[in-house]
Amino acid sequence: MDLAIPKIDVASLGPELILSIAAMLVLLVSVFLPKGRKDPAAYLSLLGIFFAFVSEVFLWGNPRYAFNNMILVDNFSLFFNSIFLIAAGLSILMSVNYLKEEEMDHGEFYALILFATVGMMFMAIGSNLITIFLGLETMSISIYVLAGFFRKSNKSNESALKYLLLGAFSSAFLLYGIAMMYGATGTTDLKGISEYLSKAAYLKDPMLLSGMGLLIVGFGFKIASVPFHMWTPDVYEGAPTSITAFMSVGVKAAAFAAFVRVFLYSLWDLQPDWNYVLWILAVLTMTLGNVVAIAQSNIKRMLAYSSIAHAGYIMVGMVASNELGTSSILFYMLAYAFMNLGAFAVIILYGRKGEENLDINDYSGMGFKYPALALLMSVFMFSLAGIPPTAGFVGKFYIFSAAIKSGYIWLAIIGVMNSLVSVYYYLRITVMMYMKEPVKEFAGLKWSPSITIALIIAVIGTLLIGIFPSPYLDMAKQSIQLFM
């Protein structure tokens, strides 16, 4: 058999190459930095993220297949890549002082975030199921290590072990689904599968449908949809808080990027089969996430269940399967990145060494002692609850509008009712901050430049997208031209 070497298109992999080189430089440089003074590694990582972002600008509006059609660099992947870069950048900014305080200031931390981001990018640009799987594993291995980065903490070790074991199961499901898809269609190329499925006579092939079901299981685990969500609260609680923030946004966005590309493009002809399944999963995910979040007293666990509920909202956009639904998924992920990362940045700043102040009661009276920090937290909570004029409100408005436009009236009603339920536990934080007496003494806050910048970027993003949503929605619409 003749092996053809694919044409090397370095430019199409510009952002991934820049981040990979930056990650290796961070590893090299951090060896020569004294213990407890790894700041240059963080700033070098941020520089790599900046140049990766700049390289994306030159690729915008110029879609291209590369490396024997294994990757597709288009506006869709570039939009998601931007979300990954925002998540990575803000996570690094909020980690600089946090790692010092926890006495875990190691350069490898930043390198692993960059490698995880590279994996996310390969999931977004993958036009072949093998590429998507390789990207997922690159991302997952880095996240396994980061979840257990606080090796002296039992919770952190438990978090990493649970995520590793359950992640291995989900990878097996995904890989088995890919194998069955190959067995049914003879290809792992997304375009090839799409062309194959255009032959209606093969649509009820049991192997094909089984492969599709296993892919839903694999992606469902990564987005934390019900019933594959069980790992989320424990892993989110045990992982370092800045990594919890990175996982809640970056991993979820990467999984949705691949999920959307595979199902709304490659498996579009099977839409009547998978749409019914996703409808049920969306309702269960929204409802369970919101109902269980009410009972949580730990703020990280509350945000973990909240992230499950948000996965349900985003799945509503997939069920709608129209132009507004698909573009609103991208828009919602961008909005979610700012508001959720902002909330975690407040938790880090308000916390203390040893991850204190995680109980919701610890926020009692915070509004009087730290009015600026409480105001920021209120903005992020309002946005997550979907209260105008924030990004979360506009995101939910577009998602539910798309469902109504496609005739899924009941799905939209269930989504709105769930959103109303979520108002209770998000506003509970605000009530604690402004209407309750403190339950313990407040220690001084350590405002560092890096976390201050992270909070400023997060709050500006949350409000800007909420007040002027049109440019971002237009950009999201331009990003889905492949699908429509």
Side-chain angles (χ1 to χ4, degrees):
M1 183 176 69
D2 294 330
L3 290 176
I5 298 175
K7 183 183 175 185
I8 306 298
D9 184 359
V10 176
S12 63
L13 284 179
E16 291 81 4
L17 288 173
I18 290 171
L19 278 191
S20 299
I21 292 169
M24 288 184 275
L25 282 175
V26 167
L27 280 177
L28 186 65
V29 168
S30 62
V31 172
F32 300 100
L33 295 173
K35 187 179 180 182
R37 299 179 66 182
K38 306 290 184 183
D39 294 15
Y43 302 136
L44 184 58
S45 304
L46 291 172
L47 200 62
I49 288 171
F50 172 75
F51 282 115
F53 197 84
V54 170
S55 72
E56 293 216 323
V57 174
F58 293 102
L59 295 170
W60 184 266
N62 184 25
R64 62 173 98 175
Y65 281 96
F67 295 95
N68 207 13
N69 293 343
M70 293 297 282
I71 66 169
L72 170 58
V73 180
D74 56 358
N75 290 355
F76 175 82
S77 61
L78 295 174
F79 192 99
F80 269 105
N81 283 356
S82 302
I83 296 173
F84 307 149
L85 293 173
I86 290 168
L90 292 181
S91 300
I92 289 172
L93 281 172
M94 65 176 77
S95 296
V96 177
N97 261 42
Y98 171 63
L99 292 181
K100 284 182 186 172
E101 198 154 301
E102 297 293 337
E103 298 177 357
M104 291 300 293
D105 189 22
H106 302 294
E108 306 90 278
F109 183 89
Y110 305 110
L112 284 166
I113 287 183
L114 295 184
F115 282 129
T117 309
V118 172
M120 292 170 190
M121 287 179 160
F122 271 102
M123 289 180 73
I125 65 174
S127 62
N128 190 298
L129 290 171
I130 301 298
T131 311
I132 291 172
F133 181 75
L134 290 174
L136 184 141
E137 287 304 294
T138 305
M139 173 190 75
S140 298
I141 290 169
S142 303
I143 298 291
Y144 297 149
V145 181
L146 286 168
F149 201 77
F150 288 177
R151 59 182 186 278
K152 295 178 183 174
S153 162
N154 290 335
K155 280 193 173 182
S156 186
N157 290 329
E158 179 190 345
S159 166
L161 189 60
K162 278 187 179 175
Y163 196 44
L164 170 67
L165 293 176
L166 294 173
F169 275 115
S170 76
S171 294
F173 277 112
L174 189 69
L175 197 57
Y176 200 22
I178 292 172
M180 295 187 85
M181 200 59 70
Y182 177 77
T185 65
T187 179
T188 53
D189 180 68
L190 297 187
K191 191 176 180 182
I193 293 172
S194 176
E195 290 172 354
Y196 180 88
L197 293 181
S198 60
K199 301 168 187 175
Y202 296 96
L203 292 184
K204 296 302 177 186
D205 184 344
M207 183 179 287
L208 189 65
L209 295 177
S210 301
M212 181 192 76
L214 291 170
L215 291 182
I216 290 176
V217 173
F219 288 128
F221 177 89
K222 291 298 178 189
I223 64 170
S225 81
V226 174
F228 318 111
H229 68 286
M230 302 300 286
W231 59 275
T232 314
D234 291 340
V235 173
Y236 276 27
E237 184 185 4
T241 305
S242 57
I243 293 307
T244 307
F246 184 54
M247 290 172 69
S248 68
V249 174
V251 173
K252 195 181 293 293
F256 267 112
F259 204 174
V260 168
R261 197 189 282 281
V262 171
F263 278 75
L264 293 186
Y265 171 61
S266 183
L267 301 181
W268 177 251
D269 287 293
L270 295 176
Q271 195 251 5
D273 296 295
W274 56 255
N275 213 31
Y276 181 65
V277 177
L278 291 193
W279 193 100
I280 296 171
L281 292 182
V283 171
L284 292 175
T285 305
M286 285 187 288
T287 307
L288 185 138
N290 282 316
V291 171
V292 181
I294 292 174
Q296 302 305 312
S297 58
N298 181 296
I299 195 165
K300 284 174 77 175
R301 290 185 75 87
M302 186 271 278
L303 288 175
Y305 281 105
S306 147
S307 85
I308 294 171
H310 283 280
Y313 300 140
I314 299 169
M315 288 173 77
V316 171
M318 287 189 70
V319 174
S321 303
N322 53 19
E323 182 184 2
L324 182 59
T326 311
S327 58
S328 63
I329 292 172
L330 277 67
F331 182 91
Y332 198 93
M333 281 309 320
L334 180 64
Y336 185 70
F338 286 112
M339 58 190 180
N340 208 46
L341 288 166
F344 277 106
V346 173
I347 293 171
I348 288 174
L349 184 54
Y350 186 56
R352 295 287 177 276
K353 179 175 166 53
E355 304 255 281
E356 291 184 10
N357 290 335
L358 292 180
D359 192 292
I360 289 174
N361 289 320
D362 294 334
Y363 286 74
S364 301
M366 187 179 117
F368 302 104
K369 181 68 177 178
Y370 307 121
L373 190 63
L375 179 63
L376 290 172
M377 190 61 156
S378 299
V379 171
F380 299 132
M381 291 295 112
F382 288 158
S383 188
L384 286 165
I387 295 173
T390 58
F393 167 75
V394 183
K396 287 180 183 175
F397 176 77
Y398 286 139
I399 288 269
F400 298 143
S401 297
I404 293 171
K405 195 174 179 181
S406 289
Y408 296 102
I409 308 295
W410 274 107
L411 185 60
I413 291 172
I414 294 170
V416 172
M417 289 173 66
N418 266 287
S419 189
L420 290 175
V421 171
S422 74
V423 171
Y424 172 79
Y425 61 81
Y426 286 128
L427 292 194
R428 186 170 53 157
I429 306 291
T430 308
V431 169
M432 286 285 180
M433 291 189 296
Y434 290 107
M435 299 180 187
K436 296 286 184 183
E437 292 294 326
V439 294
K440 61 183 188 183
E441 291 290 323
F442 292 104
L445 293 181
K446 294 181 179 176
W447 287 90
S448 66
S450 58
I451 200 159
T452 305
I453 292 170
L455 280 166
I456 291 172
I457 293 172
V459 76
I460 289 176
T462 302
L463 293 176
L464 195 65
I465 295 173
I467 298 169
F468 305 106
S470 297
Y472 306 99
L473 186 64
D474 290 341
M475 199 180 294
K477 285 180 178 175
Q478 290 174 26
S479 304
I480 59 162
Q481 296 304 314
L482 177 71
F483 300 105
M484 297 296 125

